[in-house]
C-alpha cells in the first residue's frame, strides 16, 4: 500500500510515500490546463508556422485569415506593445518572425478565433511567399560555414596533447549522437485571463514560471508585477517546458491583451514537435592516450552540437557536455573543445541531462575502444580510471571529494554476476548463430547545481492556519517527478504533523518570486531547503513565544507539541500562538553554498556535489536485420539518503527507459528542406511497455550526501538517464563480437536496426579484410 | 425518420442528436460537449493511448469490452454501444480496484497518460484476459508513458483486483436499433447499414462515399489532414460482415472483422500470423482496425497484405449484388490506386490454410517492436519437395508503392534446392524486383539489404538452425 503518511507516529521522511496527485491522476480528476473549465468568451489560438527553413518573407497576406468565420484577431509583430522577443537572455528569438524566417516551423502570426477548428481553418488561408536563402541544417554544415551561437569554448587540464603523444597506446574515433524529442504527453498549452488595467493571470504548462512572467511583461511592455503566472502541474516536462513553453504563453497573453478576452493556446502534437526545441545532436571527435593497463594519460574531445537558429540555453547545455566529458573518470590530462553551431533548425534546448549525456557518450565510447585495443574487459579499463581510484582532479578545476563510484561499480558487478555473464556471452557469441549478445557495465557521475551559479536559489511560502493545517507553496514546479510530495514531507516532518495536514498548492509567481526553473535536478534540493527555512522561522517564533509564555522550549512530536509537562495537539498549540499574536507565516529562502565558476577560464567549483550510479545492460542483436533487444538491466544508484524511495526509484526507472529510447529507437529525421519528418508518435518511437527489459533490477546505494543537503538526500531527476549508456555500450559490444572484438564498431546513436546492421557489416569487413 | 445516436454512458442511455457532426470525435464529444476531461489528447492520431476509453459491445448474449482510441473514433460509431471513460470507474476517495492498484504501486508520475492506462487495464480485466507480463505488455503497447518506464504500471496490472460490475447486456440490448443510423450535419452524412445487402445498396447509391471500417486510418484524415468527408458509410454495424468462417481448406474473414477478432483464426493458420497481429498497432488499433480495411485502403506499408499475398489469399469484392474475386496481389494497381470500382467494397478476404510441409514465414522490421509501422514486411511461402523448391510466393511491404511480390526472386528459387546457397543467388535478384525509397523509417539501401536477409533468415530458421530475437530473453535467461 502507498503510505498516506497520515498515520500518527510513522515517519514521513525517507518513506516510500505515493505521489500526492496519484488518486486524482487515476480518476481523471487532476486538472491540466486544457481541463480547466473554459471561461466565457474564451478565444482559441492557432499559430501560423513558417514552411521554409531559411527565407526572406516577401509577402504575408493575412486578409483572408482576418475575414474567415469566427476570427476575432490575427496577431502579428505589429500587435506587440513591448519587445518582439521571447528569448531567455540572448535577444535572438522573435515571438513572431518578421522579414526573415530561420527555421521550418517558426511562428509568423497567430489567429484568435471563437473555436479551435475555426482558428486552424483560418490560419490555413494565409498567403505567404518566400525567397529562399541558403540554409545550414547540420552541425557539420554550420561548422564549415563558421556559423556559431557563441565562440567555441575550451577546457584544459594539463597538456593532453603531449600526454597522449607520449602514451604507449592511442585510440581515436568519431561518434554521432542524435537528438531527442521530449514527448511530454501533455503538449504545450497556456491560458491567459486579462484582469483590470494591465493585470494578467496566465496558467501555463511550464518549468519556469518566473521567466515566463518576466518575458510576458517584456512582450506586453508592462511591469513584472502585473503578470501572475501559475502552474499546478505539467503533463511531463523533461526540460522541454523550461524555455519552450514561453512562446505559446506569450501568444495567449498577447491575445488576451489585444482582444480583452481570455485566450487559450494548445499545440497539436505535430506543431509541437515541429516548432519546439529538442535535445542537441552532437558530432564528437575523441582521442585517448593510455598505458598497457588501460590507465589514461590524457583525453581530447572536440564537440560540435547543433543549437538551432538561436542561443536559447545552448551555452550552458554545451558547457555541461564539457563538464561531463570525463564522466566518472580521472582523465589525468584533458583538452575539451566545444563548438556551438547555429543552424536553420528549431532551437535545441534543455532535456534531462542538459548536455551531460552527450558528453558522457564520448568518453564511454572511448573506454570501449581502449579496452578493445588492449583486448581487455571494458569493465577493467573503466575500474582502473574511476575517480577515487585514479585521481580526483576534474578538467574544470573542481576536486572530486565525494567519489563513491568505485564502491558502486564493484558492488553492482558482484550483484549482477557480471564476470560469469561476460563468459556466458562470449561463449554464446563463439557459436555460429546470427544472434549475438552484448554486455556492458557503465558508471555515471553527474554534477549537481546550476552551473550558472546565481540560479542556485529558491523561495518558499509557508502558512500555518489556526486549525493546524499548513499551506505550502514554493517556486518549484510539479511535472510528475514528485517534487511536491517531497517538499511536503519536509514540511510535515518539520512540524511533526501528518502529511495530510500539508496542503500542496500551485506554483505562482505572486507567492514565490524570482525563482529559477525547476531544472538541473535541483527541485527538491533547493525548494526543500527553502521550505524548511520557512518552517524554521515559524518554529523559532513559536519557540520564543513558548519560552516566554510557558517557560519551556517546545518540542514538536508526532503526538503533538510538548511544552514542559504539557502536550498540546498541534492545532491547539498554533491557535494559542495566534491568540498571543505570533505570526504563523514565513517566506523561506535558500542558496546553495560553496559554489563558484569562472566561465572565461572554465575553472571553479560549479557543483555542490555529485550523484553517482552504475548500470549493467545485456542485449541481443540480430546480425541479419540489426533488430535488438535489451534483455536484462541491473542498476545501483546513489540518491544519498532518499527523501522518498518510491519516488526516487520511479525517477531511476523512468530516466533509464527514456535514455534507452534516446539511444535506440528514437530518431529525429530532418529532410533536405529542413522539415522534421518524424513529428508524431506514428513516426517518432519512444519506448513502449514491451521495450522494458524482462529482467530489470534496481537498488538504491545505501549512503548519504556528505554535503548538508536537505536531509542528506541527493538529486535524482537527471542522473539515471545516463545509466542507459550501458545499453549503447552493450550493443557496441554485441556488434564487435562479429569481428571477434578485433575492430571497433562505428556505431552511432540512436542504434536503430539500420545503424546496427551497417555497423555489423563494417566490422565484418574490417575484421576480416 | 432521423434518429439520434444512442449509447450507454456509465450504464445510462445517452443520445447525441441526429444532426451530430459525423466526424466529431468521441474525444471531443467527451471533453467539450460532455465536460468529461479525464480523457486526454496526446497525439490525435491513435498512437499514444492518452485518450483510451472502453467500448462495451454486444456479441450475442455477451458483452465485449474493448479499449479504443477516442481521438480517432467518430461519435456515430458509439451507436448501440456502451462507453466507459475514466470517470465511469471511480473518484478520489472511492477508487476502482484498477485505479487503486495504480496508486498503490506508484504507477503515475505526471499523470497525463494515466487515465488511458487505467482504461486499457480495465478493458483487459473485464475481458478476463491473462495477467502474465507478456499479455499485459501487449495490452498496453498502445499506451505511451514518458515518465515511469512502465514497470509500476505492469505491476499494477498484475496486482489489480476486480470490482463488482453491473451487467449491461440487457441495457445494451434495449438500445440495439431496428434499423441503421443515418445522420446529417450541414450536408455531411454518416450512414451505418445493418447488413451487407443494405451496405451494398447504400454504396451503389452513393458510389463516392468513404467506406469506413475501424477508422484507424480514416480518423487521421480528419484529425491530421483536416479533410472534409461528405458521405461516410460505415460497415461496423453489418452483423453478417463480422464473421470469420472456416471453409475447410481456407478461412473467410468478413469486412468488419477486427484484427483482435481475426487473431486466433489467423494464428491457427500459422504462428507467424499471430506474432504479426500481436505487433500490429496497439490493442486499441487492433480493437477497431479490420483485416480487410488494411487491404482495402491500399497502403504500401500495411502489414496484412504481404502476409496474405504469400498465403495466396483471394479478395472478395462486391457491388450491389455482383461479387467478383481476385488474387489479393492483383488488387493493388499503383500507389493510391486499387482495383475497386465506385460503389464497390471489399466484402471479405479468403485465406487458404497453408499446406502441410510448406515453409511459411512472416517477418516485420520496424524501429520499435511494438506498435510501429513496418520499414519492411515479408510474407514468404515456399513449397519444398525432395529438397527442391516447387514454387515460391514471396511478397514485401515497404519495398514498393504497393505491397508486391518478388517475382524475379521467386523465379530464381523455383526448382532449385532450398539451401542458403540457392537463396543467396535468388536474393541477388531483389534489386530487379524492387527499387525501395528512403524515408524516415529506413533508407533504400537498408530496405533492400534487410529484405534479402529476411529471406536468408527464413532459410536458416526453416532448417532449425536459428533462434529468434524475440526469444532472446529466453535464451539469455533460460
Amino acid at each position: 500500500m502507498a503510505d498516506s503518511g497520515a498515520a500518527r507516529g510513522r515517519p514521513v521522511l525517507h518513506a516510500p510515500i505515493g505521489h500526492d496527485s496519484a488518486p486524482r491522476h487515476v480518476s481523471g480528476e487532476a486538472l491540466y490546463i486544457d481541463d480547466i473549465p473554459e471561461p466565457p468568451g474564451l478565444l482559441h489560438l492557432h499559430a501560423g508556422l513558417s514552411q521554409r527553413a531559411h527565407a526572406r518573407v516577401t509577402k504575408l497576406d493575412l486578409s483572408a485569415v482576418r475575414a474567415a468565420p469566427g476570427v476575432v484577431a490575427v496577431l502579428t509583430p505589429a500587435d506587440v506593445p513591448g519587445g518582439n522577443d521571447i528569448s531567455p537572455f540572448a535577444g535572438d528569438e522573435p515571438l513572431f518572425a518578421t522579414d526573415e524566417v530561420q527555421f521550418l516551423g517558426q511562428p509568423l502570426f497567430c489567429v484568435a478565433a471563437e473555436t479551435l477548428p475555426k482558428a486552424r481553418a483560418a490560419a490555413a488561408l494565409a498567403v505567404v511567399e518566400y525567397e529562399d536563402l541558403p540554409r545550414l541544417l547540420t552541425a557539420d554544415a554550420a561548422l564549415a560555414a563558421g556559423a556559431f551561437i557563441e565562440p567555441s569554448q575550451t577546457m584544459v587540464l594539463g597538456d593532453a596533447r603531449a600526454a597522449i603523444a607520449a602514451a604507449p597506446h592511442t585510440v581515436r574515433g568519431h561518434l554521432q549522437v542524435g537528438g531527442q524529442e521530449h514527448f511530454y504527453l501533455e503538449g504545450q498549452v497556456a491560458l491567459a485571463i486579462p484582469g483590470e488595467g494591465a493585470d494578467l493571470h496566465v496558467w501555463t504548462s511550464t518549468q519556469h514560471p518566473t521567466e515566463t512572467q518576466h518575458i510576458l511583461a517584456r512582450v506586453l511592455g508592462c511591469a513584472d508585477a502585473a503578470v501572475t503566472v501559475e502552474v499546478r502541474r505539467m503533463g511531463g516536462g523533461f526540460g522541454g517546458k523550461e524555455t519552450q513553453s514561453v512562446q505559446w504563453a506569450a501568444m495567449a497573453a498577447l491575445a488576451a491583451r489585444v482582444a480583452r478576452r481570455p485566450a487559450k493556446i494548445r499545440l497539436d502534437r505535430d506543431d509541437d514537435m515541429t516548432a519546439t526545441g529538442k535535445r542537441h545532436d552532437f558530432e564528437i571527435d575523441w582521442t585517448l592516450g593510455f598505458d598497457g593497463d588501460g590507465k589514461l594519460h590524457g583525453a581530447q574531445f572536440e564537440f560540435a552540437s547543433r543549437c538551432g537558429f538561436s542561443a536559447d540555453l545552448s551555452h550552458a547545455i554545451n558547457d555541461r557536455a564539457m563538464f561531463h566529458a570525463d564522466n566518472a573518470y580521472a582523465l589525468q590530462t584533458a583538452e575539451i573543445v566545444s563548438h556551438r553551431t547555429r543552424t536553420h533548425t528549431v532551437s535545441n534546448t534543455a532535456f534531462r541531462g542538459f548536455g551531460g549525456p552527450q558528453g558522457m557518450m564520448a568518453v564511454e565510447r572511448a573506454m570501449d575502444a581502449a579496452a578493445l585495443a588492449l583486448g581487455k574487459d571494458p569493465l577493467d579499463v573503466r575500474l582502473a580510471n574511476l575517480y577515487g581510484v585514479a585521481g580526483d582532479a576534474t578538467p574544470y578545476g573542481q576536486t572530486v571529494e565525494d567519489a563513491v563510484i568505485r564502491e558502486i561499480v564493484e558492488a553492482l558487478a558482484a550483484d549482477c554476476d557480471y564476470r560469469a555473464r561476460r563468459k556466458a556471452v562470449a561463449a554464446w557469441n563463439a557459436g555460429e548463430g546470427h544472434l549475438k549478445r552484448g554486455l556492458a557495465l557503465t558508471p555515471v557521475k553527474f554534477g549537481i547545481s546550476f552551473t550558472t551559479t546565481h540560479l542556485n536559489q529558491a523561495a518558499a511560502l509557508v502558512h500555518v492556519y489556526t486549525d493546524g493545517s499548513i499551506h505550502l507553496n514554493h517556486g518549484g514546479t510539479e511535472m510528475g517527478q514528485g517534487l511536491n510530495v517531497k517538499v511536503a514531507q519536509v514540511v510535515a516532518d518539520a512540524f511533526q504533523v501528518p502529511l495530510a495536514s500539508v496542503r500542496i498548492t500551485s506554483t505562482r509567481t505572486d507567492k514565490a518570486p524570482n525563482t529559477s526553473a525547476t531544472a538541473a535536478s535541483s527541485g527538491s534540493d533547493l525548494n526543500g531547503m527553502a521550505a524548511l527555512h520557512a518552517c524554521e522561522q515559524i518554529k523559532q517564533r513559536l519557540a520564543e513565544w513558548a519560552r516566554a509564555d510557558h517557560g519551556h522550549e517546545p518540542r514538536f512530536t508526532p503526538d503533538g507539541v510538548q511544552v514542559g509537562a504539557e502536550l498540546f495537539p498541534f492545532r491547539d498549540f498554533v491557535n494559542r500562538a495566534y491568540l498571543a499574536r505570533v505570526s504563523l507565516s514565513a517566506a523561506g529562502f535558500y542558496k546553495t553554498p560553496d559554489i563558484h565558476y569562472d566561465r572565461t577560464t572554465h575553472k571553479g567549483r560549479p557543483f555542490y556535489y555529485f550523484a553517482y550510479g552504475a548500470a549493467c545492460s545485456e542485449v541481443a542483436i540480430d546480425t541479419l536485420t540489426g533488430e535488438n533487444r535489451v534483455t536484462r538491466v541491473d542498476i545501483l544508484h546513489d540518491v544519498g539518503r532518499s527523501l522518498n524511495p518510491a519516488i526516487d526509484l520511479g525517477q531511476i526507472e523512468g530516466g533509464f527507459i527514456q535514455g534507452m529510447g534516446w539511444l535506440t529507437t528514437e530518431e529525429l529525421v530532418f529532410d533536405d528542406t529542413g522539415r522534421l519528418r518524424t513529428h508524431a508518435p506514428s513516426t517518432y518511437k519512444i519506448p513502449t511497455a514491451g521495450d522494458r527489459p524482462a529482467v530489470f533490477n534496481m537498488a538504491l546505494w545505501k549512503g548519504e550526501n556528505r554535503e548538508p543537503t536537505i536531509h542528506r538526500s541527493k538529486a535524482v531527476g537527471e542522473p539515471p538517464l545516463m545509466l542507459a549508456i550501458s545499453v549503447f555500450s552493450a550493443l557496441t559490444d554485441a556488434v564487435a563480437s562479429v569481428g571477434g572484438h578485433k575492430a571497433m564498431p562505428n556505431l552511432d546513436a540512436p542504434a536503430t536496426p539500420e545503424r546496427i546492421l551497417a555497423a555489423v557489416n563494417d566490422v565484418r569487413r574490417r575484421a576480416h579484410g | 425518420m432521423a434518429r439520434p445516436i444512442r449509447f450507454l454512458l456509465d450504464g445510462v442511455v445517452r443520445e447525441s442528436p441526429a444532426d451530430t457532426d459525423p466526424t466529431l470525435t468521441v474525444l471531443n464529444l467527451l471533453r467539450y460537449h460532455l465536460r468529461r476531461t479525464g480523457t486526454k489528447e496526446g497525439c490525435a492520431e491513435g498512437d499514444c493511448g492518452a485518450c483510451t476509453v472502453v467500448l462495451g459491445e454486444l456479441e450475442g448474449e455477451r458483452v465485449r469490452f474493448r479499449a479504443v482510441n477516442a481521438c480517432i473514433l467518430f461519435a456515430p460509431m458509439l451507436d448501440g454501444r456502451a462507453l466507459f471513460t475514466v470517470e465511469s470507474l471511480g473518484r478520489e476517495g472511492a477508487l476502482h480496484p484498477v485505479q487503486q492498484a495504480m496508486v498503490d504501486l506508484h504507477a503515475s508520475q505526471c499523470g497525463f497518460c494515466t487515465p488511458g492506462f487505467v482504461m486499457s487495464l480495465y478493458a483487459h480485466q473485464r475481458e478476463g484476459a491473462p495477467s502474465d507480463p507478456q499479455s499485459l505488455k501487449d495490452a498496453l503497447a498502445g499506451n505511451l508513458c514518458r515518465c515511469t518506464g512502465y514497470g509500476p504500471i505492469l505491476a499494477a496490472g498484475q496486482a489489480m483486483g476486480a470490482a463488482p460490475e453491473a451487467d449491461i447486456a440487457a441495457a445494451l440490448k434495449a438500445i440495439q436499433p431496428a434499423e441503421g443510423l443515418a445522420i446529417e450535419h450541414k450536408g455531411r452524412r454518416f450512414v451505418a447499414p445493418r447488413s451487407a445487402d443494405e451496405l451494398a445498396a447504400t454504396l451503389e447509391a452513393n458510389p463516392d462515399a468513404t467506406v469506413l471500417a475501424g477508422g484507424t486510418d480514416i480518423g487521421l484524415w480528419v484529425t491530421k489532414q483536416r479533410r472534409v468527408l461528405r458521405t461516410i458509410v460505415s460497415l461496423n454495424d453489418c452483423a453478417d460482415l463480422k464473421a470469420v468462417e472456416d471453409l475447410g481448406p481456407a478461412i473467410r474473414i468478413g469486412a468488419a472483422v477486427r484484427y483482435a477478432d481475426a487473431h486466433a483464426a489467423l494464428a491457427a493458420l500459422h504462428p507467424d500470423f499471430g506474432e504479426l497481429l500481436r505487433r500490429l498497432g496497439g490493442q486499441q488499433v487492433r480493437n477497431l482496425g479490420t483485416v480487410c480495411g488494411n487491404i482495402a485502403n491500399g497502403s504500401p506499408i500495411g502489414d496484412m497484405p504481404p502476409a496474405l499475398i504469400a498465403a495466396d489469399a483471394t479478395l472478395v469484392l462486391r457491388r450491389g449484388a455482383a461479387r467478383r474475386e481476385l488474387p489479393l496481389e492483383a488488387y493493388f494497381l499503383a500507389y493510391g490506386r486499387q482495383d475497386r470500382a465506385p460503389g464497390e467494397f471489399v466484402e471479405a478476404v479468403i485465406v487458404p490454410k497453408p499446406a502441410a510441409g510448406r515453409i511459411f514465414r512472416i517477418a516485420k522490421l520496424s524501429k520499435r517492436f511494438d506498435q510501429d509501422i513496418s520499414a519492411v514486411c515479408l510474407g514468404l511461402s515456399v513449397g519444398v519437395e525432395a529438397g527442391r523448391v516447387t514454387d515460391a510466393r514471396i511478397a514485401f511491404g515497404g519495398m514498393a508503392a504497393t505491397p508486391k511480390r518478388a517475382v524475379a526472386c521467386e523465379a530464381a528459387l523455383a526448382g532449385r534446392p532450398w539451401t542458403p546457397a540457392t537463396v543467396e543467388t535468388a536474393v541477388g535478384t531483389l534489386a530487379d524486383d524492387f527499387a525501395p525509397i528512403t524515408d524516415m523509417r529506413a533508407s533504400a539501401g537498408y530496405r533492400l539489404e534487410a529484405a534479402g536477409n529476411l529471406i536468408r533468415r527464413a532459410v536458416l530458421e526453416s532448417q532449425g538452425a536459428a533462434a529468434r530475437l524475440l526469444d532472446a530473453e529466453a535464451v539469455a535467461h533460460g
Side-chain angles (χ1 to χ4, degrees), chain A residues 369-389:
Chain A
L372 185 136
L374 294 173
K376 283 180 169 293
D377 186 324
L379 178 60
D380 291 323
V381 175
R382 289 187 163 99
L383 275 166
N385 290 292
L386 292 174
Y387 283 115
V389 177

Side-chain angles (χ1 to χ4, degrees), chain B residues 187-240:
Chain B
R188 292 185 289 118
R189 297 192 300 141
F190 187 103
V191 184
R194 306 289 294 176
S195 69
D197 287 348
E198 221 184 295
L199 172 72
T202 307
L203 285 173
E204 208 170 16
N206 298 277
D208 297 331
T210 302
V211 184
L212 176 78
T216 56
D217 188 20
I218 291 173
L220 278 69
W221 299 2
V222 173
T223 64
K224 292 295 166 180
Q225 300 171 16
R226 313 211 187 284
R227 277 162 68 174
V228 176
L229 306 176
R230 307 302 311 177
T231 302
I232 295 172
V233 176
S234 163
L235 47 77
N236 284 293
D237 296 341
C238 299
D240 49 354

Side-chain angles (χ1 to χ4, degrees), chain A residues 79 252 254 261 301 316 344 368 393 428 442 509 515 585 591 666 724 767:
Chain A
D79 298 299
L254 183 62
R261 286 170 63 171
F301 297 101
H344 299 107
D368 286 335
W428 170 274
T442 60
T509 52
T515 55
S585 171
K591 56 180 179 177
E666 295 183 36

